[in-house]
Amino acid sequence: MLAPLAVPVPEHLTPHDLVTYFRCPHEMELVRAMHTQRSTGTMGPVRTPLDVVPLHQSPLFSPPLSQILVNEGRLDIFDDDRLVYEDDGEDDLPVLFPPEHVQIDPKFTNGHSTLVDAAWGFAGRPDLVVRRGDGGLFPVEYKETHLFGGYHQAHGRLFDTIQAIAECRLVEVTFGRRPAFGVVLYGDESGGGVHEGWVQIPYGDAEERWLKVAMDQVRQDRIRAPVAALRTCGSCEPNGEGQCRFAAARYEGPHHHQSFLASPRR
Ligand code: SF4
């Protein structure tokens, strides 16, 4: 009798992996290897071969962008909205709800706050999930240090869009209802709120298809080539740690993408 064939387990991915891959596949490898080093003391494996030919641009194509709504000012919160999830690993999230409007879903009241999509081998943590009065849900990703002014000019907005789409999928799987959109909320702690704004990113069939294809592409990529470019290399944290041999620029600071290394959210 033939032994049953083992089904290969797909490579585990997170929204942050997708964002990092979109910037530079080699950066994704280095970020993961450095996370392993932080927990085990030994740098994790990096699959990029030493003789790889760097790319000029990301190998991942952009998600659909035509329906994105950009809004200045505070995020609209209505009286019958409820906060049903909050990432308990984050201590700098804005307080958008009075205590009586916080109704954390029982799935997340036992110290467990990672949203897991077992079917797609995907997991991560939005900052917040809001339930509307009609039962509709949407995730909120908060970018504390990303000023809203110059939304369309600033580098990194596309990465935020990818993160919002990925979090919509996790909310759908976890709560059993597809969000119609995800929100990226841009704060402005230093400027008194003058630059606040938020972006509504739709989540429909086109976005879900994009996400699935993107995850397949990441998993099939055996090279994880570097995309060496002045702007991305200048804000690449593995570069700041001296880990990248392909860097096109000196590390200047995190700029407009959040720190993946400082955050435990995976
Ligand atoms: S320094 Fe540049 S090439 Fe190297 S991992 Fe970072 S973004 Fe990629």
Side-chain angles (χ1 to χ4, degrees):
M1 193 169 124
L2 290 173
L5 288 173
V7 179
V9 177
E11 179 183 11
H12 178 78
L13 293 174
T14 70
H16 286 170
D17 288 333
L18 288 182
V19 170
T20 321
Y21 183 93
F22 192 85
R23 283 167 52 86
C24 170
H26 184 52
E27 181 184 350
M28 174 184 147
E29 288 291 288
L30 292 175
V31 167
R32 291 172 146 202
M34 291 165 69
H35 270 291
T36 302
Q37 184 179 38
R38 282 167 191 231
S39 52
T40 67
T42 307
M43 191 79 172
V46 174
R47 68 172 67 172
T48 311
L50 294 179
D51 60 352
V52 67
V53 177
L55 302 175
H56 294 297
Q57 60 186 35
S58 171
L60 198 59
F61 58 95
S62 292
L65 298 172
S66 61
Q67 304 296 319
I68 287 177
L69 296 177
V70 179
N71 306 276
E72 283 183 33
R74 298 257 151 93
L75 174 64
D76 295 328
I77 298 290
F78 302 103
D79 217 34
D80 53 359
D81 288 347
R82 296 292 179 270
L83 181 68
V84 294
Y85 168 94
E86 185 168 23
D87 181 357
D88 62 10
E90 291 287 302
D91 52 14
D92 57 355
L93 296 178
V95 178
L96 302 177
F97 292 83
E100 64 272 23
H101 289 184
V102 176
Q103 294 178 357
I104 300 300
D105 189 281
K107 284 191 280 293
F108 301 107
T109 51
N110 58 357
H112 166 82
S113 66
T114 300
L115 279 56
V116 179
D117 176 359
W120 284 18
F122 196 43
R125 300 182 193 182
D127 286 328
L128 309 170
V129 178
V130 178
R131 189 182 66 226
R132 288 259 130 109
D134 65 1
L137 297 154
F138 63 91
V140 177
E141 185 64 26
Y142 178 56
K143 302 295 183 189
E144 175 189 12
T145 57
H146 298 203
L147 300 189
F148 188 69
Y151 174 80
H152 292 289
Q153 290 78 42
H155 178 53
R157 308 302 194 185
L158 198 52
F159 309 137
D160 301 341
T161 304
I162 290 171
Q163 196 168 354
I165 290 172
E167 290 174 356
C168 283
R169 163 72 190 182
L170 292 172
V171 169
E172 178 181 5
V173 171
T174 305
F175 290 87
R177 178 165 178 160
R178 175 184 284 202
F181 58 86
V183 164
V184 181
L185 175 61
Y186 294 91
D188 178 18
E189 292 219 318
S190 57
V194 274
H195 297 298
E196 269 192 22
W198 52 285
V199 181
Q200 184 172 308
I201 294 131
Y203 185 68
D205 291 344
E207 288 77 14
E208 185 189 59
R209 259 197 313 277
W210 175 86
L211 184 60
K212 184 75 177 77
V213 170
M215 291 175 67
D216 289 346
Q217 180 176 338
V218 172
R219 289 186 172 121
Q220 287 164 13
D221 181 353
R222 314 307 297 173
I223 303 296
R224 308 273 160 97
V227 178
L230 294 179
R231 199 159 51 175
T232 46
C233 295
S235 59
C236 168
E237 291 185 42
N239 187 23
E241 301 278 323
Q243 294 290 347
C244 181
R245 62 175 63 218
F246 306 101
R250 186 191 297 270
Y251 179 69
E252 302 284 354
H255 297 316
H256 288 292
H257 79 287
Q258 73 182 66
S259 166
F260 299 118
L261 295 170
S263 168
R265 293 184 300 153
R266 300 292 296 162

